[in-house]
Amino acid sequence: MTRQTAWEILSKYLKNPNLIKHSLATEATMRALAPRYEGDVEEWGVVGLLHDADYERSKGHPEEHGLLLFKLEPNSIPAVIEHAIKAHNFEFTKIAPESPMDWAIYCCDQLTGLIVAAALVHPDKKLASLNVEFILNRMKQKDFAKGATREQILLCEEKLGIPLNEFIDITLHAMQGISKDLEL
């Protein structure tokens, strides 16, 4: 599946500009993580781009999030990408993450949101001004970005073999690389 095809699917179902930016941030992170596991950068990027494509359509029905996309787009998304997308919401879909790609989308999904929140509280609201320490300090604050599940992010160490500091650094640099698209 090409990125262009994935973008067309995303654009068909997702309209909220912040969710689109989240998808772009997650795509950039997945692309940055792929080489570490000898993964296909395009494939991993598509997972990041499409992981929340059905979010607006499944709103109020979390058990459908990650599954509905494949009812809307039958037989158009490769099975390995489909599995990773379904597994990113495994608490509801009951599709367990298995591969490094599955675990990467599961862990970085929450981290990209936390990093955006950290940028928005920074005086200049720019990703370029953030560093790992700033993000770690925000992560330790329980009342900060409550929607970002810390336990999910922390699984980067156990499931991906990446120390938290390094995982944050990879994600931050990936997001900084597309800061204009993220308007941060």
Side-chain angles (χ1 to χ4, degrees):
M1 166 173 268
T2 67
R3 188 205 188 264
Q4 181 59 38
T5 301
W7 178 256
E8 289 167 7
I9 292 170
L10 180 75
S11 300
K12 190 186 316 184
Y13 300 112
L14 208 56
K15 303 301 180 196
N16 181 309
N18 290 331
L19 288 172
I20 292 170
K21 290 175 196 173
H22 168 67
S23 296
L24 293 171
T26 309
E27 174 193 21
T29 301
M30 290 293 288
R31 286 176 169 275
L33 289 166
R36 184 181 196 106
Y37 303 95
E38 299 179 6
D40 181 300
V41 173
E42 295 302 314
E43 187 175 78
W44 283 52
V46 166
V47 168
L49 192 61
L50 289 180
H51 80 286
D52 277 349
D54 66 9
Y55 190 84
E56 290 175 342
R57 298 269 178 121
S58 63
K59 192 169 184 170
H61 300 281
E63 71 283 358
E64 292 181 13
H65 175 50
L67 300 174
L68 183 58
L69 177 63
F70 306 101
K71 292 176 185 170
L72 297 168
E73 295 290 327
N75 305 315
S76 63
I77 299 169
V80 67
I81 293 171
E82 180 176 340
H83 186 272
I85 292 170
K86 288 178 176 179
H88 100 278
N89 188 28
F90 80 91
E91 292 86 355
F92 289 98
T93 65
K94 306 304 181 209
I95 308 290
E98 297 169 355
S99 69
M101 183 168 66
D102 297 349
W103 283 109
I105 188 64
Y106 183 73
C107 297
C108 81
D109 183 18
Q110 299 296 308
L111 182 56
T112 59
L114 189 123
I115 290 173
V116 167
L120 293 174
V121 299
H122 199 275
D124 69 1
K125 299 186 182 339
K126 298 289 180 196
L127 288 168
S129 300
L130 301 185
N131 59 33
V132 171
E133 184 179 348
F134 185 84
I135 295 163
L136 275 172
N137 287 337
R138 295 304 163 275
M139 193 170 163
K140 291 174 187 173
Q141 297 172 352
K142 292 182 182 183
D143 287 340
F144 179 79
K146 290 180 185 179
T149 308
R150 275 60 167 175
E151 296 78 19
Q152 200 167 323
I153 297 167
L154 290 168
L155 282 173
C156 67
E157 295 183 333
E158 176 187 342
K159 301 299 184 177
L160 295 171
I162 305 175
L164 179 60
N165 287 5
E166 186 178 347
F167 191 62
I168 292 170
D169 189 56
I170 292 167
T171 304
L172 177 60
H173 278 91
M175 292 174 66
Q176 287 170 332
I178 62 161
S179 62
K180 287 183 183 175
D181 293 332
L182 301 178
E183 297 178 350
L184 293 171

